[in-house]
Amino acid sequence: MKEQELKDYLKEKGLRLTHQRENIIKHFCDKNKHYTVEELYEEMKKEMPGIGFATVYRTLQLLVAAGFALERRFKDDVTRFEPLHKNDHHDHMICIECGRIIEFENKKLERLKDGVAKKHNFCILLHKLEFYGYCEKCRNKKIKGKK
Amino acid sequence: MKEQELKDYLKEKGLRLTHQRENIIKHFCDKNKHYTVEELYEEMKKEMPGIGFATVYRTLQLLVAAGFALERRFKDDVTRFEPLHKNDHHDHMICIECGRIIEFENKKLERLKDGVAKKHNFCILLHKLEFYGYCEKCRNKKIKGKK
DNA sequence: ATTTTATTGATATTGATTTTCAATTTCAAT
DNA sequence: ATTGAAATTGAAAATCAATATCAATAAAAT
Ligand SMILES: [Mn+2]
Ligand SMILES: [Mn+2]
Ligand SMILES: [Zn+2]
Ligand SMILES: [Zn+2]
């Protein structure tokens, strides 16, 4: 269970489990969303009216450092955080109309990527692969609109 | 020849060919680099000491709008501009040690990407593919250092 | 309960990008 | 060559997300 793992991490680092952290973690970690700090801050305020933006910001950084979240930055150039569920690597397609983020994973693509890197004697530590365009719904809407 | 194409573009849009634009274009368009505004500004100052940062910035935007340059933004989160030579699409590997940027193109990868998109009924307009890691030189240096 | 030290939240700062605006330059029409 | 309307310039200011600061507060070890 995530809560215990996190407590262990905090203890190990000499950090403290505050109400703010506890609540943020409860709210964030089971979701399957890509939060901006602002978005999570707005949601947290409903549960803890006094909570500060900086606390949400720092807690997300903490979760990344602890390995419970990933930091992402898409084309709109705001940092987003997503809870890390398993050790699943995945990439993203982002709809430029509605903002929907679709996750995907493709082994063949990963293998091909490694091949390209090897060809250039490049040692990949991480990669970024994002598609931008229209999701199914938005594309359908566009087609109808054109008629 | 690029100069004439650009003059045509300016005329068509009711824009003017200033000394600043002329010099920036001469300096920038034949290079094969990924410039930040700051970098190009520093180089331009040597040729036109009075030139302003904003002018370099605006001229790069203009070149993008005219289709003579591409805007890129890698992990270091500064906007870079590269002259567009042909209609070549390419992606990048970036060395996190020395900053070297290696360009590559892989048809098989592109095809695979389109397949993945189709599977999700996603209509790709553009994509971003970047590798981060060590270039050959830096990796070799690292290996030697470890001994 | 006391003490130590991490944490919080309000606010200030940073740094890249973008905008503003008065002065200047371009260029088409005299 | 001169003019004048309109685009452009450069300095400075505004923007905006991300990050740092710091006095007040809260956690947890003793
Ligand atoms: Mn994701
Ligand atoms: Mn390039
Ligand atoms: Zn959509
Ligand atoms: Zn390198």
Side-chain angles (χ1 to χ4, degrees):
Chain A
M1 185 236 206
K2 201 124 282 186
E3 194 127 5
Q4 191 50 53
E5 280 180 67
L6 190 81
K7 277 181 187 165
D8 295 347
Y9 176 84
L10 292 175
K11 185 152 281 176
E12 183 199 318
K13 298 278 181 184
L15 304 175
R16 291 170 188 181
L17 182 61
T18 62
H19 294 141
Q20 287 89 336
R21 284 179 180 165
E22 212 168 356
N23 279 315
I24 291 171
I25 287 151
K26 276 210 186 92
H27 191 98
F28 172 79
C29 283
D30 61 336
K31 298 288 191 309
N32 193 18
K33 285 173 76 170
H34 302 77
Y35 278 103
T36 65
V37 181
E38 193 60 43
E39 283 165 3
L40 184 55
Y41 172 55
E42 288 306 322
E43 292 187 8
M44 291 316 300
K45 271 202 289 193
K46 290 173 196 160
E47 301 182 20
M48 297 189 90
I51 200 170
F53 177 90
T55 301
V56 176
Y57 167 75
R58 286 179 296 223
T59 303
L60 284 170
Q61 304 262 51
L62 172 69
L63 287 172
V64 171
F68 296 119
L70 289 178
E71 198 177 320
R72 306 276 191 186
R73 173 177 264 151
F74 303 127
K75 244 192 175 333
D76 64 353
D77 200 36
V78 258
T79 303
R80 288 166 191 280
F81 296 85
E82 64 172 322
L84 182 56
H85 291 297
K86 308 161 212 85
N87 270 35
D88 66 330
H89 163 77
H90 63 263
D91 296 295
H92 300 88
M93 336 189 175
I94 298 117
C95 178
I96 58 175
E97 185 78 13
C98 70
R100 191 190 319 275
I101 297 173
I102 300 159
E103 304 184 330
F104 70 89
E105 206 210 341
N106 188 293
K107 297 277 186 221
K108 211 185 275 180
L109 227 153
E110 301 287 330
R111 243 177 286 127
L112 202 46
K113 163 191 74 99
D114 292 333
V116 173
K118 189 174 278 177
K119 207 185 297 178
H120 291 262
N121 288 312
F122 190 88
C123 166
I124 299 187
L125 293 188
L126 59 94
H127 76 268
K128 184 176 241 205
L129 174 58
E130 292 152 15
F131 302 165
Y132 295 91
Y134 296 109
C135 74
E136 187 169 10
K137 278 187 192 169
C138 290
R139 204 197 33 173
N140 287 340
K141 238 177 253 171
K142 279 221 169 267
I143 294 169
K144 267 187 204 156
K146 277 282 158 65
K147 271 200 198 143
Chain B
M1 183 233 209
K2 200 125 283 189
E3 196 128 4
Q4 192 50 51
E5 280 180 68
L6 191 80
K7 277 180 186 165
D8 295 346
Y9 176 84
L10 292 176
K11 185 153 282 175
E12 181 201 320
K13 296 279 179 185
L15 304 176
R16 291 167 186 183
L17 182 61
T18 61
H19 295 141
Q20 287 88 338
R21 284 180 180 166
E22 211 169 357
N23 280 315
I24 290 171
I25 287 151
K26 276 210 186 93
H27 191 99
F28 172 79
C29 283
D30 61 334
K31 299 287 192 308
N32 193 17
K33 285 172 75 170
H34 303 78
Y35 277 104
T36 64
V37 181
E38 193 60 42
E39 282 165 5
L40 184 55
Y41 171 56
E42 289 305 322
E43 292 187 8
M44 291 316 300
K45 272 202 289 193
K46 289 173 196 158
E47 301 181 18
M48 297 189 91
I51 199 170
F53 177 90
T55 300
V56 177
Y57 166 75
R58 285 180 295 221
T59 303
L60 285 169
Q61 304 264 48
L62 173 68
L63 288 172
V64 172
F68 296 120
L70 289 177
E71 196 177 322
R72 306 276 192 185
R73 174 176 263 152
F74 303 128
K75 246 196 173 338
D76 64 354
D77 198 36
V78 257
T79 303
R80 288 165 191 278
F81 296 86
E82 63 171 323
L84 183 55
H85 292 297
K86 308 161 213 85
N87 271 35
D88 65 330
H89 164 77
H90 63 263
D91 295 295
H92 299 88
M93 335 188 174
I94 297 115
C95 178
I96 57 176
E97 185 78 15
C98 71
R100 188 189 321 275
I101 297 174
I102 301 158
E103 303 184 331
F104 70 90
E105 205 211 341
N106 189 292
K107 295 279 185 219
K108 209 184 280 181
L109 228 153
E110 301 287 331
R111 242 176 289 127
L112 203 48
K113 162 191 75 94
D114 292 333
V116 173
K118 188 173 279 177
K119 206 184 298 178
H120 291 261
N121 289 311
F122 190 87
C123 167
I124 299 187
L125 293 189
L126 59 93
H127 76 266
K128 185 174 235 202
L129 174 57
E130 290 152 15
F131 301 166
Y132 294 91
Y134 296 108
C135 74
E136 187 170 10
K137 277 187 192 169
C138 289
R139 204 198 33 172
N140 288 340
K141 238 177 252 170
K142 282 226 167 261
I143 294 169
K144 266 186 205 155
K146 278 282 160 68
K147 269 199 195 141

